[in-house]
């Protein structure tokens, strides 16, 4: 199937998770603030906006090191070079104390806004689920109704020639996506749509 790329917003198509960062180059504060402003405008069920974020930067070395210590070893090998880490959390309850079944979904919408904003300014970023959530909740005093979900790394992209051979392969490797006809149905489950029929 040929993909009609000109119909897709470029920032969506070219967004890519990255493991390469310049660890001694800080992102300007006004750019960091714009990440969260983008997240703020995400849609949410009943406009509850159940997202919360904790920002870690090299301006507070002790705290960012604590966050790094929560990452699984595989993620530490590359994320320890990112000058910005963002802990993304969902508030699982509404103001009246009842559960919010859409909290994780809504957080995901805010996270995507945040990631696209980071990439739109030319920075690398990568969301990761590989971290010790219990340790994270304890270290950073999260209330019981706040669930840590994702850690996002962000930073300047290094020059390609400075990357390791393995990282060069990862940077140049294409992103693999399932074809639309593997998961899009017409009217009922299993009635697959042929995308070519739209042209």
């Amino acid at each position: 199937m040929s993909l009609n790329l000109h119909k897709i917003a470029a920032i969506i198509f070219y967004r890519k998770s990255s493991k390469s960062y310049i660890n001694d180059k800080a992102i300007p504060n006004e750019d960091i603030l714009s990440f969260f402003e983008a997240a703020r405008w995400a849609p949410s069920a009943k406009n509850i906006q159940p997202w919360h974020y904790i920002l870690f930067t090299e301006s507070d070395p002790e705290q960012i090191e604590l966050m790094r210590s929560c990452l699984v070893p595989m993620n530490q090998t590359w994320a320890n070079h990112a000058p910005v880490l963002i802990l993304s959390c969902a508030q699982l309850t509404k103001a009246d104390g009842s559960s919010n079944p859409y909290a994780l979904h809504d957080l995901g919408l805010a996270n995507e806004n945040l990631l696209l904003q980071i990439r739109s300014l030319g920075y690398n970023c990568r969301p990761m689920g590989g971290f010790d959530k219990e340790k994270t909740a304890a270290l950073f005093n999260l209330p019981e109704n706040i669930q840590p979900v994702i850690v996002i790394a962000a930073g300047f992209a290094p020059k390609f020639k400075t990357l390791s051979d393995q990282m060069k392969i990862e940077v140049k490797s294409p992103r693999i996506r399932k074809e639309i006809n593997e998961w899009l149905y017409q009217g009922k489950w299993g009635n697959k749509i042929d995308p070519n029929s739209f042209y």
Side-chain angles (χ1 to χ4, degrees):
M1 182 194 77
S2 60
L3 183 60
N4 198 359
L5 292 180
H6 75 274
K7 294 290 186 181
I8 301 174
I11 189 62
I12 295 174
F13 181 72
Y14 289 108
R15 184 213 60 79
K16 186 175 183 179
S17 296
S18 176
K19 294 180 180 179
S20 54
Y21 301 91
I22 301 176
N23 62 355
D24 58 353
K25 190 173 183 181
I27 298 176
N29 286 337
E30 58 268 30
D31 286 357
I32 292 176
L33 184 60
S34 79
F35 304 163
F36 300 106
E37 184 65 23
R40 189 169 78 94
W41 289 99
S44 62
K46 297 185 178 180
N47 201 30
I48 291 176
Q49 304 171 49
W51 46 77
H52 295 269
Y53 295 94
I54 300 179
L55 172 66
F56 302 90
T57 69
E58 294 290 355
S59 64
D60 191 341
E62 182 178 347
Q63 289 303 105
I64 197 171
E65 284 302 324
L66 284 176
M67 185 66 254
R68 287 167 175 159
S69 75
C70 296
L71 304 177
V72 298
M74 181 180 66
N75 283 336
Q76 287 187 23
T77 59
W78 60 267
N80 283 359
H81 299 288
V84 172
L85 293 177
I86 299 166
L87 177 62
S88 168
C89 304
Q91 183 171 325
L92 303 179
T93 56
K94 302 176 185 177
D96 63 3
S98 62
S99 64
N100 179 3
Y102 307 108
L104 293 175
H105 171 271
D106 294 345
L107 174 65
L109 294 173
N111 284 345
E112 181 69 353
N113 275 18
L114 189 149
L115 291 168
L116 292 177
Q117 177 65 13
I118 293 172
R119 287 296 297 143
S120 76
L121 296 179
Y123 302 111
N124 280 357
C125 58
R126 186 182 184 92
M128 49 186 152
F131 67 102
D132 187 326
K133 295 172 178 59
E134 290 186 4
K135 178 180 177 181
T136 298
L139 279 177
F140 305 114
N141 304 315
L142 300 187
E144 288 188 7
N145 66 331
I146 301 297
Q147 178 178 327
V149 180
I150 292 291
V151 178
I152 297 169
F156 283 88
K159 294 184 182 298
F160 183 78
K161 64 181 181 181
T162 66
L163 300 177
S164 66
D165 290 341
Q166 179 58 39
M167 194 63 71
K168 287 178 180 178
I169 293 173
E170 290 191 24
V171 168
K172 294 177 69 175
S173 63
R175 293 185 300 159
I176 306 302
R177 290 294 182 267
K178 294 180 179 180
E179 296 291 349
I180 290 175
N181 60 10
E182 294 183 56
W183 45 262
L184 178 61
Y185 310 110
Q186 178 73 50
K188 64 179 180 180
W189 182 269
N191 187 24
K192 292 186 176 182
I193 291 178
D194 178 7
N196 290 314
S197 67
F198 283 76
Y199 299 105

